[in-house]
Amino acid sequence: MKYFAYGSNMSLPRLRARTPSAVRIGACRLEKHALRFHKAGQDGSGKCDALQTGDPDDFVVGALFEIADAEKAALDRAEGRGFGYLDKWVCVTDLQGQHFDALTYYATRIDAALKPYSWYLYHVVYGAEETGLPLTYRAALEGVEAIEDPDSDRDARERAIYL
């Protein structure tokens, strides 16, 4: 199954902890969507959402992966499907203009006042660099205001996958 990740799951170490079969295909664009960090996470912080705007000037850049169909349930659990995210099929386009149908997740619980924790934003930026997203897009991600997680143990656990 093809899966389009635009947030923390762009990070291959993070995604493989959830779906060990994940293989990155490459960078892709999702048209008529805009990246927001307004999904209400269970930890009280903001997570990524590919908000469908319908505006032809809007797009989200992310990573396209191939994952085993048998791992979909594990990905659903990790993403909190039914508890803040739902999934949908989208058509994404790679840098060579090839189109792919892929599964992605979108937020159903949003709060525009939320900010991501710095460890979460680190996953997103790490994945963007790994995938080779355009420099201007990566700079925009690096410019997102993040806050420190009051749970320093969780922060350490999240960052430990890169050690």
Side-chain angles (χ1 to χ4, degrees):
M1 159 179 95
K2 294 199 176 27
Y3 165 58
F4 178 69
Y6 52 82
S8 66
N9 281 344
M10 286 191 293
S11 163
L12 192 55
R14 182 162 170 86
L15 183 59
R16 281 210 177 130
R18 299 166 169 196
T19 58
S21 70
V23 175
R24 186 187 329 273
I25 297 170
C28 285
R29 283 173 57 122
L30 175 61
E31 303 294 333
K32 299 181 182 179
H33 287 70
L35 186 66
R36 300 286 185 269
F37 285 81
H38 65 194
K39 190 264 184 188
Q42 292 181 8
D43 61 11
S45 71
K47 309 295 187 209
C48 285
D49 178 31
L51 178 67
Q52 187 169 357
T53 65
D55 185 332
D57 292 332
D58 289 339
F59 62 90
V60 172
V61 184
L64 185 65
F65 294 94
E66 184 73 37
I67 64 170
D69 291 343
E71 293 176 346
K72 168 76 165 59
L75 187 58
D76 284 348
R77 281 190 302 279
E79 290 301 291
R81 185 181 182 280
F83 301 97
Y85 276 127
L86 288 177
D87 57 1
K88 66 180 179 178
W89 288 93
V90 295
C91 181
V92 296
T93 308
D94 70 11
L95 301 178
Q96 292 74 39
Q98 186 175 0
H99 300 284
F100 299 90
D101 290 327
L103 179 86
T104 198
Y105 293 85
Y106 66 95
T108 58
R109 289 185 16 222
I110 61 173
D111 180 345
L114 293 175
K115 296 195 179 345
Y117 286 143
S118 62
W119 59 257
Y120 179 84
L121 185 60
Y122 185 83
H123 288 315
V124 177
V125 170
Y126 186 95
E129 290 174 4
E130 272 187 323
T131 306
L133 298 192
L135 291 176
T136 54
Y137 197 85
R138 289 175 13 207
L141 291 174
E142 291 169 357
V144 170
E145 183 181 351
I147 58 175
E148 293 306 313
D149 188 342
D151 182 343
S152 58
D153 289 338
R154 177 174 48 214
D155 185 288
R157 279 191 314 273
E158 289 293 333
R159 294 176 193 270
I161 67 171
Y162 302 107
L163 300 178

